[in-house]
Amino acid sequence: AYSGARVGEIAQLRAEDVMTVDGVHVLNITPEAGSVKTGQYRHVPLHPHLIEQGFLSVATAKKTGPLFYDPEAATRKTAKASKSLAEKVGQKIRDMVREAGIGPDQVEQPNHAWRHRFKTQARRWKLDTEAAHHMQGHATDSEGQAYGSWPVERLAEEIAKLPRYKVPGL
């Protein structure tokens, strides 16, 4: 919800994909970890609320490898299954969202709908449109907008505009 990334991109994150670039804590969304629709990496700054909740400590403690599943936990049956372990994590996230009391009136399709919600929140809180596109891995409106790169400190300023999520029971 804080990154605009696809659930699968988050589910496949590895400890080494949580890094500091130019003094900013970022997620490195990269094809090296698994499927990325554009096939290109991008840095998405961590929202301050995630840092306060200890996300960096989780990544640091893990040191290397997937953050949200244990690749050694795959059995022969799951190894042959059509869904990857990261996809199974995505399914579990969907179930947890519903269990947390976030219903269809708030988020219709609990996984993909977070990307739609991110874009709505970006508009509501006046995030730079190009920055929001970049963080979500969306194409730009023009070729000229695709030129250059986004400094992570500017992206961090934009992501910090998003309000904190309050989930009942957490």
Side-chain angles (χ1 to χ4, degrees), residues 4 18 32 35 47 62 67 76 86 89 96 102 106 118 128-129 131 135 148 154 156 162-164 166:
V18 181
E32 291 177 16
S35 177
H47 189 279
K62 181 71 177 183
L67 283 176
R76 288 178 201 211
V89 169
M96 290 170 57
I102 299 171
Q106 295 155 303
F118 180 89
D128 181 285
T129 303
M135 288 185 273
R154 274 289 298 122
L162 296 173
R164 295 163 188 260
K166 295 177 186 165

Side-chain angles (χ1 to χ4, degrees), residues 20 85 98 102 107 109-110 118 153 160:
T20 303
L85 291 174
R98 292 296 187 234
I102 299 171
V107 179
Q109 302 169 6
F118 180 89
E153 61 274 9

Side-chain angles (χ1 to χ4, degrees), residues 84-127:
S84 71
L85 291 174
E87 288 173 310
K88 290 179 187 242
V89 169
Q91 290 175 339
K92 182 66 177 170
I93 290 169
R94 182 197 64 229
D95 296 342
M96 290 170 57
V97 165
R98 292 296 187 234
E99 289 170 16
I102 299 171
D105 56 324
Q106 295 155 303
V107 179
E108 253 182 67
Q109 302 169 6
N111 284 350
H112 188 70
W114 292 115
R115 288 177 52 79
H116 289 263
R117 181 163 176 81
F118 180 89
K119 194 67 81 176
T120 299
Q121 293 293 76
R123 291 175 182 127
R124 177 171 289 132
W125 298 101
K126 298 181 172 115
L127 272 67

Side-chain angles (χ1 to χ4, degrees), residues 6 13 22 34 41 47 74 76 104 128 141 144 162:
R6 294 167 184 85
L13 277 175
D22 295 335
Y41 87 93
H47 189 279
R76 288 178 201 211
D128 181 285
D141 296 332
L162 296 173

